[in-house]
Amino acid sequence: MSLPFCNVALPVPLRTTFTYAVPESLREIVQPGTRVIVPFRKKAMVGVVVELTDRAPEGTKIREITKALDRVPALTPKLIELGHWIANYYLAPIGEVFRAMLPPVIEMRTQRLIVLTEAGRDAAASLSGGELTHGLSRNEVEFLAKLAAKKEPLPFGSAAKLGLDANALDRLRRLGLIEIRETMLGRKAKTQRVIAAKSSAQISGSGDLDEKSLRVRSMLAERGPLPMPLLLKLASVSRALVERMLRDGMLESWEERVDPAEDPFDVGYEAPAHELNAEQESAFGAIRARFELGEFGVLLLHGVTGSGKTEVYMRSVQETLARGKTAIVLVPEIALTLWVGRQCRAWFGARFEGVAVLHSALSDIERAREWWRVRHGEARVVVGTRSAVFAPLDNLGLIIVDEEQESSFKQEETPRYHGRDVAIVRAKMENAGALLGSATPSLETYHHARNGKYELLTLASRVANRSMASVEIVDLREDFQRTHQTSPISSALHAGIQACLTNGTQALVLINRRGYSWSVLCRSCGASVQCVNCSISMTYHKHRNRLECHYCGSLQAVPKECPKCQSKYVYFFGEGSEHLEERLRKEFPGARIARLDRDTARTKQQYQETLGAFAAGALDILVGTQMLAKGHDFQRVTLVGVISADSSLHLPDFRAAERTFQLLTQVAGRAGRGELPGRVLIQTYYPEHYAIQDAVRQDYSAFFEREMHFRRMMQYPPFTSLANVIVRDTSLEKAIVWSRQLSEYFAPHDGKGARILGPATAPLARLKKEHRFQFLLKSPRRSLLTRILSGAMAYCDARSIPQTAVLVDMDPLSLL
Ligand code: ADP
Ligand code: ZN
Ligand code: ZN
């Protein structure tokens, strides 16, 4: 297939592709899915070919593709189909959809190899007598013989040295005697420094060692030689100390090769492989039965926290691989890719040529490398966050979405897709299974499971007869009246943490905001410090000594006086995670404390170090934002404290109750997962709220019934579909004019099977310098919404309202 033109999706916010000519020299290479460099306006841009065509639009000057970036097309035909679906369903600019699906643009060093096929091997054997058959030349026969003798693939470039030109190679390929494969060049071997204790005979008189050196010694005695960074973390000592001990001859060190396929995080790890209990067995049986059918289907694994869902996932992936297919496991947080990735590597790494992990805390190079490993078929299991749903696997058999209710699966920038929903659509397109798992399914998903659209599998109890954690409410009003303390840590929580320290168990403390304090107020005039670009108050970060906007990233100096009235009484208010950490250090001076939030964990290594240290027992208290709330399986955590259950309850959002219930239930699930029983303390000013009450009882079905009643009355999802439309511009006037125009288009549609509310000022009235107005569309028929909205896009084009000024959020999770 070599057609003269192609349509290219470019990363520009326009709902169209662009036609380019394919120069003769690139016709063999450029295919649907190939990334190309093309001239666009005055720039060169990287885009992806979505189709080849023999026609170009008339009347425009067609320019040529400059270069092809891939020899194997980056995207498979199925992924191109999926991209089109996303662009249509979410009304998203097609180029931005494909940009989200592609790997970072990094030149990968690849190598083309010539591989002898089965048929080629036979031919080489039968031709060895020297007679010329098959219409092959002597040269070609000799080449096949050499290839057969060599026993390993030959680099593409060496063919010429063996006297074979490109034409001859192509002939052999077409005859099916050889294959040309592409692999990535081997990575350079990495090494790491490993530290060990000198044998005890050489060290006497350790009596005069200080406490820290003793910790290092006993850590090494206990765990054997350790890589330097891990040792520093586990013993919580400085590098300087270890260097000193090395110089003093107490320790020794050497460089050790790190097996590129082996993550240092995996060293010494063995995946649990439990015999499934009866509930797990029956859930897995149903999944297997689905495989027997060999067709698309969605299953919901509803299992309470600690019921062993992961074990069921692992068996399902194993079953998928055994059938020669591939699998994706989506998790809601980067932190969780560590555990699940490690578990998958332990289960499948060796036997099935690999597991790839994809998430946004990888460097571009790492991400591109993992991505291409998948594309070249070198990894058959992919673990990752949201965008891993686009992993370029062939022959997909299963997509697992763990904690399917999590809002992190929804991308809150263009293209605004929902990873879980895209997973289901992709599974359908590829005739694969979709397995959704959760202790607290979203209302939508559970609704589908109850009305039979999804198959419902239930794990009603924790493994090994462990009991659920006991959940207690701390009424903050009462606590304050009694103690008159203003600490964010109530006396009950303080006592609970103290008990953990005394018993040598661990505590998790959760707070939902990062930073030191999330509001800066003037006591004198009441003004609060707002972001210059957004209608949002600035967050104070003490360590960095500045104010930050968590929406647009803008920075301000910490004010010494009120910017409005110049009073000196600037007041920081509303505790964030940084504040809480400081507080805990003050209240528990001897404890080993760490914090995990987006400020302390930006890279994969930072996640690994903190979580690894906590899991290994090198920390007593871990403070964090909700990234700690779900999924983690820490065996020695006996106490979980929630600083404020209310903060998520008061958002102007119909899902506020659902979110609060889910978060608290998940949090409660982190305690008492091992042999030791768990206890959860939830601090609140609003203990009567049903979301909190049902979470205390960990009663999903009570919450579900109550919330469904409310949703039905209010005509909210799952009883209706929603779309949120934002009209935005830096000029207030333009934003108003365009909103008015759009409302003229919407008016005749209102009341005819759809309700259209607005325009109103958006709850976030200003964001990143833009003024925002909002329409809310509701209809029991989603297809009607899509029709109205595509009409709206055409209307905007006709009125010259820029496509970038109108944001469509289909199935919005948040109405801000
Ligand atoms: P969930 O994801 O449902 O909260 P996990 O899958 O993390 O729960 O499992 C909780 C713990 O139970 C893990 O430590 C796991 O190794 C263990 N586990 C899983 N299945 C079994 C089983 N059949 N018997 C004993 N322990 C199990
Ligand atoms: Zn003031
Ligand atoms: Zn801002």
Side-chain angles (χ1 to χ4, degrees):
M1 209 179 29
S2 69
L3 295 170
F5 301 105
C6 64
N7 293 328
V8 177
L10 291 173
V12 292
L14 301 173
R15 289 180 180 81
T16 167
T17 55
F18 300 85
T19 304
Y20 286 89
V22 186
E24 200 67 57
S25 60
L26 292 179
R27 296 245 171 111
E28 287 293 310
I29 296 171
V30 171
Q31 294 169 43
T34 307
R35 292 176 306 162
V36 289
I37 297 180
V38 294
F40 184 76
R41 299 196 178 130
K42 290 203 163 62
K43 282 189 298 193
M45 229 181 224
V46 177
V48 61
V49 174
V50 296
E51 92 187 308
L52 297 176
T53 158
D54 53 4
R55 260 170 317 181
E58 313 240 324
T60 48
K61 188 172 148 256
I62 300 295
R63 300 163 84 182
E64 271 195 349
I65 288 177
T66 318
K67 189 177 172 194
L69 288 183
D70 308 317
R71 276 185 297 198
V72 172
L75 296 183
T76 61
K78 293 275 193 223
L79 284 174
I80 296 177
E81 189 187 343
L82 187 65
H84 283 297
W85 181 87
I86 290 172
N88 288 331
Y89 183 90
Y90 293 103
L91 291 121
I94 189 155
E96 297 197 312
V97 171
F98 281 107
R99 170 163 54 185
M101 298 175 81
L102 288 165
V105 182
I106 298 279
E107 298 265 357
M108 283 286 120
R109 301 213 308 140
T110 57
Q111 185 182 30
R112 270 195 294 174
L113 297 173
I114 303 169
V115 185
L116 202 58
T117 61
E118 222 31 71
R121 198 166 295 282
D122 289 349
S126 72
L127 293 173
S128 59
E131 66 274 35
L132 301 180
T133 49
H134 287 56
L136 298 181
S137 71
R138 178 174 304 279
N139 236 354
E140 290 163 349
V141 172
E142 277 171 11
F143 177 75
L144 287 181
K146 278 183 195 147
L147 209 53
K150 215 169 160 297
K151 294 209 165 54
E152 60 184 44
L154 186 75
F156 191 82
S158 331
K161 274 182 245 145
L162 296 178
L164 222 61
D165 64 9
N167 281 337
L169 274 180
D170 200 44
R171 244 162 56 77
L172 292 178
R173 187 178 60 80
R174 272 183 283 129
L175 287 169
L177 302 176
I178 58 168
E179 259 176 46
I180 315 272
R181 268 194 219 150
E182 186 140 341
T183 58
M184 266 181 294
L185 279 181
R187 302 172 221 173
K188 235 176 55 199
K190 268 207 305 205
T191 59
Q192 62 182 355
R193 192 146 167 235
V194 176
I195 313 290
K198 279 253 177 86
S199 59
S200 53
Q202 289 171 263
I203 323 158
S204 48
S206 59
D208 50 315
L209 280 182
D210 61 74
E211 188 202 337
K212 284 183 177 166
S213 311
L214 279 173
R215 259 207 322 267
V216 171
R217 288 269 306 276
S218 68
M219 189 58 73
L220 291 172
E222 196 181 305
R223 314 217 357 168
L226 289 170
M228 175 77 111
L230 190 60
L231 173 65
L232 299 184
K233 202 73 199 179
L234 289 178
S236 45
V237 294
S238 67
R239 182 178 293 267
L241 176 93
V242 175
E243 298 285 2
R244 182 149 30 87
M245 292 175 72
L246 280 163
R247 274 199 305 277
D248 294 349
M250 275 184 279
L251 305 176
E252 57 184 337
S253 79
W254 61 86
E255 292 288 321
E256 206 168 82
R257 223 187 109 160
V258 187
D259 180 345
E262 188 175 272
D263 202 304
F265 193 57
D266 294 2
V267 174
Y269 172 75
E270 265 176 53
H274 300 283
E275 208 154 303
L276 297 184
N277 62 31
E279 279 191 327
Q280 287 169 317
E281 194 61 68
S282 101
F284 178 54
I287 294 164
R288 209 168 22 199
R290 172 62 59 181
F291 283 126
E292 295 296 337
L293 290 176
E295 59 190 45
F296 165 72
V298 185
L299 302 109
L300 169 62
L301 180 61
H302 179 210
V304 298
T305 56
S307 58
K309 293 186 285 296
T310 319
E311 199 77 18
V312 177
Y313 298 154
M314 291 300 126
R315 308 273 168 156
S316 306
V317 172
Q318 188 176 42
E319 184 78 20
T320 308
L321 294 174
R323 284 162 192 269
K325 302 208 163 184
T326 60
I328 300 176
V329 184
L330 294 182
V331 295
E333 289 284 350
I334 294 167
L336 289 175
T337 63
L338 294 182
W339 310 125
V340 179
R342 183 169 72 173
Q343 208 153 349
C344 282
R345 284 190 297 272
W347 272 73
F348 314 116
R351 264 175 305 153
F352 293 96
E353 316 178 299
V355 173
V357 176
L358 290 168
H359 57 74
S360 58
L362 298 177
S363 67
D364 276 0
I365 292 178
E366 278 177 304
R367 203 145 53 89
R369 187 187 285 140
E370 286 293 270
W371 200 94
W372 281 103
R373 236 160 50 78
V374 177
R375 183 67 184 96
H376 291 312
E378 288 162 24
R380 299 178 58 213
V381 179
V382 173
V383 177
T385 47
R386 183 174 66 219
S387 65
V389 74
F390 303 126
L393 286 164
D394 269 328
N395 207 4
L396 187 65
L398 179 68
I399 308 185
I400 293 174
V401 185
D402 187 24
E403 311 285 2
E404 64 83 28
Q405 80 287 352
E406 281 303 326
S407 55
S408 55
F409 286 122
K410 176 79 195 305
Q411 173 142 307
E412 294 294 359
E413 57 190 55
T414 314
R416 298 174 165 255
Y417 68 91
H418 197 301
R420 174 201 60 212
D421 297 344
V422 171
I424 292 172
V425 170
R426 181 168 181 194
K428 187 162 187 193
M429 280 178 179
E430 308 210 21
N431 207 19
L435 174 60
L436 314 181
S438 177
T440 54
S442 64
L443 262 69
E444 285 90 338
T445 296
Y446 201 68
H447 181 60
H448 289 320
R450 286 227 310 202
N451 64 26
K453 198 170 159 196
Y454 300 167
E455 189 174 343
L456 179 61
L457 316 172
T458 309
L459 305 178
S461 43
R462 281 191 164 178
V463 295
N465 295 323
R466 281 172 205 156
S467 50
M468 302 300 287
S470 81
V471 184
E472 299 154 46
I473 283 183
V474 180
D475 186 335
L476 288 175
R477 296 167 300 191
E478 221 172 69
D479 192 73
F480 180 76
Q481 281 161 19
R482 216 155 24 79
T483 62
H484 290 277
Q485 291 281 331
T486 54
S487 167
I489 301 158
S490 65
S491 46
L493 183 53
H494 184 100
I497 295 174
Q498 193 54 60
C500 283
L501 295 175
T502 313
N503 300 332
T505 60
Q506 292 177 307
L508 263 183
V509 189
L510 286 126
I511 183 157
N512 72 328
R513 305 241 198 174
R514 63 195 173 90
Y516 195 82
S517 40
W518 39 269
S519 192
V520 187
L521 270 180
C522 169
R523 277 191 201 274
S524 185
C525 75
S528 74
V529 181
Q530 299 267 311
C531 171
V532 289
N533 304 325
C534 315
S535 44
I536 279 291
S537 43
M538 298 291 283
T539 301
Y540 171 47
H541 287 255
K542 186 176 181 182
H543 179 70
R544 297 186 195 140
N545 190 28
R546 67 191 187 199
L547 307 184
E548 295 180 9
C549 171
H550 286 180
Y551 283 78
C552 75
S554 78
L555 308 176
Q556 287 182 35
V558 181
K560 296 220 165 43
E561 53 184 40
C562 170
K564 262 223 179 96
C565 75
Q566 277 76 49
S567 99
K568 297 264 180 279
Y569 300 101
V570 180
Y571 164 56
F572 298 91
F573 145 90
E575 295 90 12
S577 53
E578 196 186 354
H579 196 165
L580 181 61
E581 183 193 359
E582 184 183 279
R583 198 71 214 197
L584 285 164
R585 287 189 192 282
K586 238 180 240 154
E587 294 191 20
F588 304 100
R592 296 166 301 168
I593 300 174
R595 165 163 62 100
L596 196 74
D597 57 26
R598 283 227 309 279
D599 296 318
T600 60
R602 289 185 189 275
T603 65
K604 179 177 135 190
Q605 280 71 22
Q606 288 168 330
Y607 279 103
Q608 282 188 351
E609 281 176 10
T610 309
L611 288 169
F614 191 63
L619 293 167
D620 303 310
I621 306 173
L622 188 56
V623 186
T625 48
Q626 52 171 312
M627 66 167 68
L628 283 180
K630 49 217 149 192
H632 300 281
D633 187 33
F634 299 121
Q635 299 274 321
R636 290 194 64 76
V637 170
T638 56
L639 178 74
V640 173
V642 179
I643 293 300
S644 166
D646 306 346
S647 31
S648 58
L649 211 48
H650 297 316
L651 291 174
D653 188 339
F654 71 91
R655 287 183 217 267
E658 184 183 2
R659 284 229 184 91
T660 306
F661 172 79
Q662 286 165 344
L663 181 65
L664 295 179
T665 313
Q666 291 291 337
V667 165
R670 293 321 110 214
R673 296 175 70 86
E675 310 278 314
L676 309 162
R679 185 167 170 232
V680 182
L681 293 174
I682 297 178
Q683 304 189 154
T684 173
Y685 284 104
Y686 199 4
E688 311 81 25
H689 195 286
Y690 66 92
I692 294 181
Q693 289 291 335
D694 288 340
V696 167
R697 287 192 296 271
Q698 301 179 64
D699 186 346
Y700 179 80
S701 49
F703 178 79
F704 178 79
E705 297 301 341
R706 216 184 310 237
E707 189 65 12
M708 286 294 270
H709 179 69
F710 161 75
R711 301 280 179 95
R712 191 180 291 116
M713 284 199 332
M714 303 298 289
Q715 280 303 302
Y716 273 126
F719 297 100
T720 191
S721 291
L722 289 185
N724 191 16
V725 177
I726 301 266
V727 179
R728 54 171 193 175
D729 197 77
T730 47
S731 144
L732 178 61
E733 208 186 332
K734 279 188 188 158
I736 291 176
V737 170
W738 292 335
S739 307
R740 280 221 192 97
Q741 285 181 329
L742 204 52
S743 82
E744 276 167 30
Y745 163 81
F746 280 136
H749 294 281
D750 187 24
K752 301 202 186 92
R755 284 285 290 140
I756 301 176
L757 312 170
T761 310
L764 244 170
R766 219 166 141 256
L767 181 65
K768 302 184 182 171
K769 294 196 164 86
E770 291 176 321
H771 299 273
R772 295 150 50 89
F773 294 89
Q774 181 179 49
F775 294 91
L776 191 61
L777 283 68
K778 279 185 175 185
S779 173
R781 278 161 52 213
R782 187 177 290 121
S783 56
L784 178 62
L785 289 186
T786 308
R787 215 155 53 233
I788 296 175
L789 287 169
S790 0
M793 297 301 116
Y795 177 91
C796 290
D797 286 349
R799 293 285 180 297
S800 307
I801 301 176
Q803 294 193 355
T804 45
V806 182
L807 270 183
V808 177
D809 193 0
M810 193 52 119
D811 308 330
L813 277 196
S814 140
L815 298 181
L816 296 180

